[in-house]
Amino acid sequence: MSGVRRDDSRRRSVPTYLLPILLEELEKEEAEEKFYSNTEEVICDLKPFNSRVMTDPKYFWEQTRFTYDNFLILLQKFNFGREFRTLDRDVCPGAFALFVVCSRLAYPGRLLDYEHYYNKDRSATGRIYRSALDHILERKSFLVTMHTCLYKRRVQKHFAERIQSVTEADRIPIFAMIDGTTRKICRPTTGQVLFYSGHKKSHCVRLQGISVPPGLLGSLYGPVEGRRNDRALLRQSSLEDWLKKNASYDDHDEAYYMFGDPAYPRNGQIFASYAKFCSTDNQRQCVKRLNKARVSVEWAFGNVTRYFKKLDFWPNSKLFLGLVDKEYKMAALLANCVLCCTGKNSASNLFSCHPPSFSNIFVIETTAFLSPEERRLLSPTFFPVASLLLPTRSMLTS
């Protein structure tokens, strides 16, 4: 009958008596899913796309920022199996899905290049890229949005000692640096006033980051509209309320602070650099040394764009057509992994606090940031990280 809409709800619905059977089949498929166990399997799955470039270690590092061994650890920690499927039923090896994510973030390029070099359709590559980003951030986004372990009492004390050894600020126990960053974007078609920054004279988005002495980004909130300042970011992130609720010290313990520029308020969690309120020369010198050490948070932001150049190509950062928020969080997570692979960076050399090993960054313990000598002096009591996400907010106001 023409002109009559058919109700397919009954045909599409699954009978309740079939649900246990379907769940058992899904559990069997997950149990039978094969994962990577050695680098030979990774190279074997990547060879069909381009045998010449995939077997060159130097080219592989330039494309992904990781060696074969570290890339294998990423596959295992991100739960990529030998077969990766998208919601649009695109099928590819899990190694190629992670390769697409790393290579597209490492340098700005076109999907046409993947069709030319890796014999993969550009549309399928785009779908694989988006699905792989969602796959990783759904499982490991807490590693960059909020490291619960970084706010444990033992880690705070260790970081504060490292910063005090450089700044000689014994009366101000600082364990982290907080600041905001601006990422320029392509001019949006709607909401241009919201995303225009009068300070930067361009359309942009704002993010808030917290860096720690090993040079890693321990917390990342955003993005929000570019017209917001640092204090608005702090208020929207609810960071102060989270610290009050989850701080791992009692009332009689010494409190540790995050150090920020004068844009931040001075309260029980943040110590802002108000040099004009210093009454003595010693206090002024102390704040001056802390301001010099505060540049480490800028180094942490710089490491993200240093290893993953796609974020600097702002004409392709289209707010409503691209993946601006997911790409920066993914790049920050991978940048932390790269710094753990190298073992040192500018901030870690300044504070003499090296990053944890690459395998420990995914199963963080309170002793992961300590040196081997310091670990021997401590009892083997570990506190695993909780999967905590900061509250999300809409980028556009109603």
Side-chain angles (χ1 to χ4, degrees), residues 5-15:
R5 296 181 60 184
R6 297 178 57 187
D7 186 9
D8 295 338
S9 59
R10 293 185 179 180
R11 181 174 60 85
R12 293 180 181 176
S13 61
V14 180

Side-chain angles (χ1 to χ4, degrees), residues 71-83:
F71 192 78
L72 173 63
I73 297 177
L74 280 181
L75 287 170
Q76 294 172 346
K77 300 302 182 181
F78 290 158
N79 298 327
F80 277 101
R82 297 294 297 272
E83 186 180 86

